[in-house]
Structure formats: structure tokens, C-alpha cells
């Protein structure tokens, strides 16, 4: 300690004495202070690294947010601006390919496709032109000797949309399936020869509309059964109807599919007895014990038609009132040979059995 001055030596002695009095080893105190300095430095380095990591994470999240806004958010805002600005909705695929939705009542919902492409093989360019032809053939389709007769005729005049390719016409197998079930019936009822009206020659079984499955009627002659499965008959005063009906329909599945053409009209509530007419036409009522089935009266039919015809035309591309609902086919209320029913007619039928 020769190099230390007197004052410096005195200061060291004072510090040594104080540390000794408080019970701290001066050597350990020096070490502790050094370790404390080192731990402080380590903590600082760790906090520095964690803060750097946090900063880097924040930068990454900000970059991710910017990317998200660039990819998704910007598009979302663009979509909102597009909607607000009246941007056109996406055009359905069938419209892009020059097809149109089928709206003719004798085909809509009753064949295995919804869209057609015109002109057809008969050079009909509009469904209004097709309607005039199919209306004359609907008497055969309504006979219901086979579901494939309807598929055959509809797909001939309203070929199935096939995108950019040529539309699909009926398969030869579809024609032959209809011929097997309907040729004899049409000959007997209408006196027409199948091959003269619906020849299957020249048809193919490639890229065409195939046959559907037929379901045989369990009863050949009309019998009374509960009509609650027919949508339009629910809530009607007469709970029994006759099947097969005058169109040869014996399955409520087929009747409900045909009823789809009246769904929008029923929603308008154009007349409170519209369902009464629809139900009594497709499942004639079993009201009297001495009559197998009974139709609605002509008077109530005329009331419904007067109230609903304009709405029907508006909803169905200005098509005429359906042939099945022509009021002249119903008996009048004063007809003594063929009775009819009104909604308030008293029911005397008691022997209905479930189908």
C-alpha cells in the first residue's frame, strides 16, 4: 500500500470498519455487488432481447394485418362498394350458356331437369310457341299411362340445357319405355297409332334424357281414400277423395308435383276456395254414399276463375287459364243427373277406407 496516500488509506479503513460493524464480510460484499451488477446486466440483456422480440412480433403482426387488408379487407370493401354502387349480380351458368328456365305447366317440375335451350328441332324459338303445341298433346300426357310419355314429349320440345354443347333430346330407351306402357291405351282411348305420332326411329341413347321409373297403380278403378297427403286438400271439409282421378293419376306424389304450378298462385290468396277447386279436381270428393266421387260445382269454379285468372297470367308469363280448371267440365248445382258439391255441402259419405 505504499502507493496509496494517507487520506486514501484512511478512507479504506473507515469503510472496512463500517462493514465489519454491520456484520458483512467485506470480500463477500464486494463479490455480491459484482454479482448484482452482473445479474442486472443479464436482466437488462434479457429484457432487451424480449423487447426486441416483442417489437419484431409487433412488426410481423402489422405486416400480416396489412397483407390481410390487402387480400381480404380490400376485397370486402370493394364488394360493399360494388353492392352499394349497384354492381350486377353474378349471372347463373344456364343463362350464360343461352338457356332458360322451364315455365310451361305441363313440364315444369314434372321432368328430371329445370332448364331448356331453344330453338328446338322443330324450330320453336320461344316457350310460348312450344306451349301451343304441347297444349294439344297434354291430353295424352295427362292420361298417365306412363311418366315417360311426359318426359318424351317435354324433352322433344324443350330439350335439356347442356351448357355450351347441343341440348339433350329424349333417349330412344325413353321413347320405347313410353311406347310399351302407352301405345295400347292411346289406341283404345284416342284411336291414334304410336308410330304415326311418336315414332322412336332415329333416336339415340347417347347424351340424351333417359327414362324415369314408372310406378304401377294399386287400384284400376277409382276408390275412396284419405286425401290429406295432397297439399291442397289439407283443411278441406271433405276428407276423402277418389284415386285414380280422371287423369289416370293414382299416386299423390305425381299430384303434388303437378300442384307446384299453382304454388305461387295459392300464396296470393286470390280466392278462399282456390284449394277447394284444386283438391276436388285432382282428387274428386267422396261425399255421398251413392256416388263413387263428386266434383266441385260449376258456380264455385267460375267464382275462383274470375278472382284468380289475372293473377295466374301475371305469374305464368301470360299463359291462359289451365285446361284442367276449365269450368265447363264441372256440373252445375241444379244438375239432377250428376251431382256436384259446394264447400258447405253436407257430407253423407260414411264408408271410406284408407288407401
Amino acid at each position: 500500500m505504499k502507493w496509496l496516500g494517507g487520506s486514501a488509506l484512511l478512507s479504506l479503513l473507515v469503510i472496512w470498519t463500517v462493514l465489519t460493524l454491520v456484520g458483512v464480510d467485506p470480500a463477500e460484499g464486494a463479490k455480491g455487488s459484482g454479482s448484482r451488477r452482473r445479474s442486472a446486466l443479464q436482466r437488462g440483456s434479457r429484457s432487451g432481447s424480449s423487447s426486441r422480440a416483442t417489437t419484431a412480433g409487433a412488426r410481423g403482426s402489422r405486416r400480416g394485418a396489412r397483407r390481410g387488408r390487402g387480400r381480404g379487407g380490400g376485397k370486402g370493401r370493394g364488394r360493399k362498394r360494388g353492392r352499394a354502387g349497384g354492381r350486377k349480380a353474378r349471372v347463373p351458368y344456364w343463362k350464360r350458356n343461352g338457356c332458360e328456365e322451364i315455365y310451361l305447366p305441363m313440364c315444369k317440375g314434372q321432368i328430371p331437369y329445370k332448364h331448356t335451350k331453344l330453338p328446338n328441332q322443330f324450330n320453336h324459338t320461344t316457350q310460348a310457341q312450344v306451349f301451343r303445341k304441347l297444349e294439344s298433346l297434354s291430353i295424352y300426357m295427362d292420361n298417365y299411362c306412363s311418366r315417360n310419355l311426359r318426359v318424351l314429349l317435354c324433352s322433344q320440345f324443350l330439350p335439356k340445357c347442356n351448357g355450351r354443347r347441343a341440348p339433350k333430346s329424349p333417349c330412344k330407351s325413353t321413347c320405347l319405355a313410353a311406347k310399351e306402357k302407352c301405345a295400347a291405351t292411346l289406341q283404345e282411348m284416342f284411336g291414334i297409332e304410336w308410330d304415326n305420332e311418336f315414332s322412336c326411329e332415329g333416336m339415340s341413347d347417347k347424351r340424351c334424357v333417359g327414362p324415369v321409373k314408372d310406378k304401377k297403380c294399386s287400384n284400376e278403378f277409382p276408390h275412396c281414400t284419405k286425401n290429406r297427403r295432397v297439399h291442397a286438400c289439407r283443411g278441406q271439409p271433405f276428407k276423402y277423395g277418389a284415386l285414380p282421378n280422371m287423369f289416370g293419376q293414382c299416386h299423390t306424389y305425381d299430384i303434388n308435383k303437378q300442384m307446384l304450378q299453382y304454388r305461387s298462385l295459392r300464396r296470393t290468396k286470390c280466392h278462399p276456395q282456390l284449394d277447394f277447386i284444386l283438391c276436388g279436381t285432382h282428387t274428386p270428393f267422396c261425399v255421398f254414399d251413392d256416388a263413387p266421387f263428386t266434383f266441385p260445382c260449376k258456380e264455385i269454379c267460375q267464382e275462383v276463375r274470375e278472382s284468380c285468372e289475372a293473377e295466374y297470367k301475371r305469374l305464368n308469363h301470360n299463359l291462359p287459364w289451365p285446361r284442367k280448371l276449365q269450368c265447363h267440365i264441372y256440373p252445375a248445382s241444379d244438375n239432377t243427373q250428376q251431382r256436384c258439391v259446394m264447400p258447405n255441402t253436407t257430407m253423407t259419405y260414411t264408408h271410406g277406407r284408407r288407401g
Side-chain angles (χ1 to χ4, degrees):
M1 295 192 181
K2 292 180 180 180
W3 62 87
L4 293 176
S7 60
L9 182 59
L10 180 61
S11 299
L12 287 174
L13 289 173
V14 171
I15 293 171
W16 185 277
T17 305
V18 171
L19 291 175
T20 305
L21 289 174
V22 298
V24 177
D25 188 356
E28 291 180 359
K31 290 180 183 177
S33 62
S35 63
R36 283 195 295 273
R37 283 194 297 271
R38 284 194 298 273
S39 62
L41 289 173
Q42 290 172 355
R43 284 196 300 272
S45 63
R46 283 198 297 270
S47 63
S49 61
S50 62
S51 64
R52 285 193 297 273
T54 304
T55 305
R59 290 196 199 101
S61 62
R62 285 195 294 270
R63 283 196 296 270
R66 284 195 295 271
R67 291 194 194 101
R69 286 195 297 270
R71 292 175 185 172
K75 286 185 179 179
R77 289 194 298 272
R79 282 195 294 270
K80 289 180 181 178
R81 285 196 296 268
R83 292 192 194 103
R87 191 172 68 178
K88 292 182 179 179
R90 187 175 181 181
V91 180
Y93 79 95
W94 48 272
K95 281 190 177 180
R96 293 199 303 270
N97 293 302
C99 300
E100 55 188 286
E101 192 169 0
I102 295 173
Y103 63 80
L104 299 187
M106 61 280 293
C107 299
K108 181 181 179 180
Q110 302 181 73
I111 54 177
Y113 58 93
K114 297 181 179 180
H115 303 102
T116 185
K117 191 172 187 178
L118 297 173
N120 57 21
Q121 59 181 316
F122 307 104
N123 292 322
H124 296 136
T125 57
T126 66
Q127 291 193 54
Q129 294 174 348
V130 174
F131 176 80
R132 288 191 283 271
K133 180 61 179 178
L134 284 182
E135 190 178 32
S136 64
L137 297 173
S138 60
I139 188 172
Y140 308 133
M141 291 188 277
D142 288 341
N143 180 262
Y144 269 85
C145 51
S146 171
R147 292 172 179 169
N148 285 299
L149 181 57
R150 187 178 299 274
V151 175
L152 170 67
L153 295 177
C154 287
S155 56
Q156 274 188 329
F157 291 91
L158 294 172
K160 182 180 179 180
C161 174
N162 193 26
R164 296 181 180 179
R165 299 179 180 178
K168 294 183 178 181
S169 296
C171 296
K172 187 173 185 177
S173 55
T174 304
C175 183
L176 294 175
K179 179 180 180 180
E180 180 184 357
K181 297 287 183 68
C182 297
T185 303
L186 297 181
Q187 169 68 33
E188 180 182 350
M189 295 184 66
F190 305 106
I192 65 172
E193 293 290 338
W194 179 271
D195 291 332
N196 294 337
E197 292 287 334
F198 317 110
S199 176
C200 302
E201 294 297 326
M203 292 186 176
S204 172
D205 276 325
K206 294 182 179 179
R207 292 184 179 179
C208 52
V209 180
V212 296
K213 186 177 180 180
D214 272 320
K215 194 173 181 180
K216 188 177 180 180
C217 288
S218 56
N219 294 280
E220 183 179 357
F221 300 103
H223 73 290
C224 292
T225 181
K226 287 189 175 181
N227 58 16
R228 62 175 178 264
R229 295 189 185 94
V230 178
H231 298 159
C233 295
R234 294 170 185 171
Q236 294 303 313
F238 310 118
K239 306 301 181 184
Y240 289 88
L243 290 176
N245 58 21
M246 60 179 171
F247 312 112
Q249 295 170 307
C250 56
H251 301 292
T252 55
Y253 171 79
D254 294 320
I255 295 174
N256 284 329
K257 285 183 70 175
Q258 198 166 70
M259 287 285 187
L260 290 176
Q261 64 174 298
Y262 304 111
R263 181 167 56 184
S264 56
L265 183 66
R266 293 173 64 200
R267 288 174 179 168
T268 66
K269 301 185 184 300
C270 54
H271 194 281
Q273 300 303 333
L274 173 61
D275 280 357
F276 179 80
I277 293 296
L278 293 175
C279 179
T281 300
H282 292 85
T283 55
F285 298 120
C286 296
V287 181
F288 309 112
D289 283 331
D290 58 347
F293 52 84
T294 311
F295 292 105
C297 291
K298 182 178 181 179
E299 290 83 354
I300 188 65
C301 174
Q302 290 173 336
E303 284 185 24
V304 170
R305 179 172 180 173
E306 289 174 4
S307 298
C308 299
E309 186 171 14
E311 285 292 333
Y312 180 84
K313 288 184 176 181
R314 181 182 67 83
L315 295 168
N316 292 277
H317 301 264
N318 207 35
L319 293 178
W321 186 250
R323 186 178 59 85
K324 287 185 177 181
L325 301 182
Q326 297 294 326
C327 298
H328 68 272
I329 65 176
Y330 301 109
S333 58
D334 58 355
N335 190 326
T336 57
Q337 296 182 350
Q338 186 179 2
R339 285 188 291 182
C340 63
V341 291
M342 298 290 281
N344 57 355
T345 301
T346 302
M347 178 178 175
T348 62
Y349 179 75
T350 57
H351 298 91
R353 61 184 180 85
R354 300 182 70 173

